[in-house]
Amino acid sequence: MTLRIYNTLTGKKEEFVPLRDKQVGMYACGVTVYDLCHIGHARSAIVFDVIYRYFRYLGYDVTFIRNFTDIDDKIIKRANDEGVDYQTIAEKYIEEFYLDMGGLGLERPSIEPRATDHISGMIALISTLLEKGFAYERQGDVFFSVEKFRDYGKLSGRNLDEMQAGARVEIDEKKENPLDFALWKSSKPGEPFWESPWGRGRPGWHIECSVMSQRYLGETFDIHGGGKDLIFPHHENEIAQSEAATGKPFARYWIHNGFVNINREKMSKSLGNILTIKEILKQWHPEVLRLFFLSHHYRSPVDYSEDSLQDAKTGLDRFYATLHAIQEELKKPTSMKQKKGDIAPVENSRKAIESFQARFEEAMDDDFNTAQALGYFYDLQTALNGLLTLSGGQPTDEIRSLLNQGREHLLNKGQTLGLFREEPEGYMDRQKKEGLKKLGLSEGDILNLIEARKTARGNKDWKKADEIRNDLLSKGILLEDTPTGTIWKIK
């Protein structure tokens, strides 16, 4: 199966055919650096991180660009409120961005350009649009004339006449049409500015992404993306100004991730339900957040809740427990004996393990369907746990080989999703310590009770053994009897 991508521009899945063989040029809109990143930023960043990783998994040479908007009305307002210059605010939140994204385990893009480093390119593009009649200047401001671009609305599926009829009355009387958008803004007193043919000012928001994407990827490139909220007007305006200037197609595939709701409500500052990445990572392991997001198709909306995160944590814990159990099993000596009754179960596990890679790639090739891919991860985990049970501390050569193969699948394909980056033993130890701290228990107390239960069972005092198990269960500790002894988990 070849990779197929849902293209917002055409409204359908299309086979991915790169402009240059085994090379991909991809641009994702970054953040405006005036505040801390929130969970919506996390989702978009994780989505494009996985797409970036998967292209490289497939053997593509990927040039991935993600920008910083480091000059904007919100940045200027924040700077004025705090009595500092705009660069101070931008630098502060770029640093915070890196801390957040590093915490989430994101890989750095190929290039991370800043808007203020590309002002000359923006001025050149605006000049071209003026020369070609797609823009006009009014008292130091320059606007793009949407009526002059015949295909305006093709990304969002909006009709220009309907948009004009429904447009609100604009305060800015310099515009010929309320839908026209700013390419260059004349400076106001106290604002940062750059010199231009139209006087001192600064660029509008949309022009920066056209300039930075084309600067590093060319006038036409493979993929452009971001959150669904950027389809209109940001990405629509990018297409208009870029294609008007060059006469060539801009981006060939447009990818947009869905929204994040908080407890079934739209996330917004007015509702006071904005969750920052820093707040989330204080409570949850970063791979829990990844597993939560990737359990949904990237185009679907997701509903964030504590229960959803707890479910994701339970799933992640189980994966790490399986990886740890495999490590321990492979340390044990090889058994030359194989029970006759094990032949069929081992063969069933073999089929699940040997078919995993093809099923994983089939899911990911279907518009990066991580939700389906994770379903195959769970199937693989079930097969591996079955082998561990059959082995019972005495792995045969065949079981050892299959456990190794399955473990490599989990780690290799998991890396493509940004999962299972920790050593299993270290992960489990940290999770236990954090869980015990929340429960107000010590590991020593639990081990003593497990030993007491072992003694009771040895004395055939089943009532006492059950009492100890139930007592621990009431405190949030789950006991599991295995062929190699009793292990405990936090419920």
Side-chain angles (χ1 to χ4, degrees), residues 1 7 77 90 96 122 129 162 170 190 192 215 220-221 296 350 358 369 384 394 410 421 435 445 454:
M1 181 175 178
N7 189 350
K77 182 180 185 305
E96 295 290 353
M122 297 180 210
L129 291 169
E162 292 174 355
E170 289 284 340
R215 163 69 177 79
T220 301
F221 55 93
H296 302 78
R350 180 191 299 279
N369 193 340
L384 291 171
Q394 297 179 310
L410 279 179
R421 301 191 306 273
D445 292 339
K454 180 180 177 181

Side-chain angles (χ1 to χ4, degrees), residues 16 18-25 60-63 222:
F16 177 71
L19 278 170
R20 289 171 286 278
D21 187 46
K22 297 309 286 185
Q23 295 183 50
V24 177
Y60 285 91
D61 179 12
V62 187
T63 303
D222 295 304

Side-chain angles (χ1 to χ4, degrees), residues 51-199:
I51 292 173
Y52 180 31
R53 290 169 184 260
Y54 188 62
F55 271 120
R56 291 190 300 171
Y57 168 86
L58 294 177
Y60 285 91
D61 179 12
V62 187
T63 303
F64 176 30
I65 314 297
R66 184 183 62 212
N67 74 297
F68 288 111
T69 297
D70 61 343
I71 184 65
D72 175 85
D73 290 342
K74 293 175 181 177
I75 296 172
I76 294 170
K77 182 180 185 305
R78 185 108 190 194
N80 291 338
D81 290 345
E82 296 187 15
V84 297
D85 58 32
Y86 82 93
Q87 293 104 323
T88 300
I89 295 298
E91 289 298 333
K92 174 183 177 180
Y93 289 106
I94 287 174
E95 183 178 341
E96 295 290 353
F97 174 89
Y98 281 129
L99 290 173
D100 289 340
M101 298 306 157
L104 290 173
L106 266 70
E107 296 198 10
R108 288 280 186 99
S110 312
I111 305 170
E112 295 177 281
R114 302 185 183 193
T116 55
D117 291 335
H118 296 79
I119 300 295
S120 61
M122 297 180 210
I123 290 172
L125 179 55
I126 295 168
S127 298
T128 298
L129 291 169
L130 283 165
E131 290 169 9
K132 291 191 171 185
F134 288 100
Y136 57 92
E137 186 263 338
R138 293 288 185 275
Q139 302 171 29
D141 291 341
V142 182
F143 299 97
F144 184 91
S145 177
V146 296
E147 290 180 302
K148 299 289 180 63
F149 185 69
R150 183 177 56 188
D151 290 335
Y152 192 77
K154 66 179 179 179
L155 181 68
S156 59
R158 302 186 183 203
N159 179 279
L160 184 58
D161 292 334
E162 292 174 355
M163 284 190 279
Q164 289 172 328
R168 296 180 181 179
V169 176
E170 289 284 340
I171 296 175
D172 194 342
E173 296 178 354
K174 298 177 186 177
K175 292 184 179 183
E176 293 177 354
N177 184 316
L179 295 176
D180 292 348
F181 57 90
L183 299 170
W184 187 263
K185 299 179 179 181
S186 56
S187 64
K188 298 175 184 175
E191 287 187 347
F193 62 84
W194 286 261
E195 299 290 348
S196 81
W198 319 288

Side-chain angles (χ1 to χ4, degrees), residues 449-450 452-453 456 464-473:
L449 287 169
I450 289 175
R453 178 173 175 267
K464 179 66 173 176
D466 287 344
E467 285 176 356
I468 293 172
R469 174 191 283 276
N470 292 333
D471 179 48
L472 284 170
L473 187 60

Side-chain angles (χ1 to χ4, degrees), residues 269-490:
K269 288 188 176 180
S270 61
L271 293 173
N273 63 352
I274 300 289
L275 286 174
T276 67
I277 294 173
K278 292 187 191 305
E279 290 171 327
I280 295 167
L281 294 187
K282 284 179 182 177
Q283 184 179 358
W284 301 101
H285 189 282
E287 290 185 20
V288 169
L289 192 60
R290 270 188 177 266
L291 190 60
F292 164 67
F293 280 136
L294 299 179
S295 296
H296 302 78
H297 192 280
Y298 77 87
R299 286 189 284 116
S300 302
V302 297
D303 187 57
Y304 177 98
S305 68
E306 293 294 306
D307 288 344
S308 297
L309 267 288
Q310 185 56 57
D311 288 343
K313 182 184 183 306
T314 299
L316 187 66
D317 288 349
R318 288 173 178 166
F319 277 120
Y320 271 107
T322 298
L323 286 167
H324 182 255
I326 292 172
Q327 281 185 345
E328 294 304 304
E329 194 72 8
L330 293 175
K331 292 177 183 177
K332 294 166 184 172
T334 301
S335 172
M336 304 307 295
K337 299 177 182 178
Q338 179 170 300
K339 301 172 189 175
K340 289 184 179 179
D342 290 352
I343 295 175
V346 168
E347 284 306 306
N348 289 336
S349 293
R350 180 191 299 279
K351 290 176 183 177
I353 291 167
E354 293 183 346
S355 66
F356 173 75
Q357 179 168 327
R359 294 197 295 167
F360 168 77
E361 292 176 1
E362 182 181 11
M364 292 297 288
D365 283 347
D366 184 15
D367 193 28
F368 311 106
N369 193 340
T370 57
Q372 182 65 64
L374 282 172
Y376 298 140
F377 271 85
Y378 287 113
D379 290 345
L380 175 61
Q381 180 191 35
T382 298
L384 291 171
N385 286 339
L387 286 174
L388 288 166
T389 300
L390 290 172
S391 179
Q394 297 179 310
T396 62
D397 280 334
E398 184 176 27
I399 287 178
R400 185 182 294 277
S401 174
L402 289 172
L403 288 174
N404 260 317
Q405 188 178 347
R407 175 178 175 273
E408 286 305 307
H409 277 322
L410 279 179
L411 294 176
N412 178 263
K413 308 323 182 277
Q415 178 65 27
T416 306
L417 301 182
L419 298 171
F420 319 138
R421 301 191 306 273
E422 289 199 45
E423 281 296 317
E425 187 172 1
Y427 172 88
M428 294 180 69
D429 284 346
R430 273 191 295 279
Q431 294 305 305
K432 280 185 174 181
K433 286 175 182 177
E434 291 174 10
L436 289 176
K437 187 177 179 180
K438 291 178 182 178
L439 295 173
L441 298 172
S442 73
E443 186 171 7
D445 292 339
I446 294 171
L447 294 177
N448 287 337
L449 287 169
I450 289 175
E451 189 62 32
R453 178 173 175 267
K454 180 180 177 181
T455 300
R457 295 179 75 189
N459 295 332
K460 297 186 178 181
D461 188 351
W462 310 119
K463 181 179 179 183
K464 179 66 173 176
D466 287 344
E467 285 176 356
I468 293 172
R469 174 191 283 276
N470 292 333
D471 179 48
L472 284 170
L473 187 60
S474 69
K475 294 174 180 175
I477 303 298
L478 182 67
L479 299 185
E480 184 177 329
D481 295 317
T482 73
T484 56
T486 301
I487 60 174
W488 63 272
K489 299 177 181 178
I490 296 172

Side-chain angles (χ1 to χ4, degrees), residues 29 44 48 225-232 235 255-259:
C29 287
S44 187
F48 286 96
K228 282 189 176 179
D229 57 314
L230 298 180
I231 294 175
F232 187 87
H235 288 165
I255 298 176
H256 294 95
N257 63 272
F259 295 114

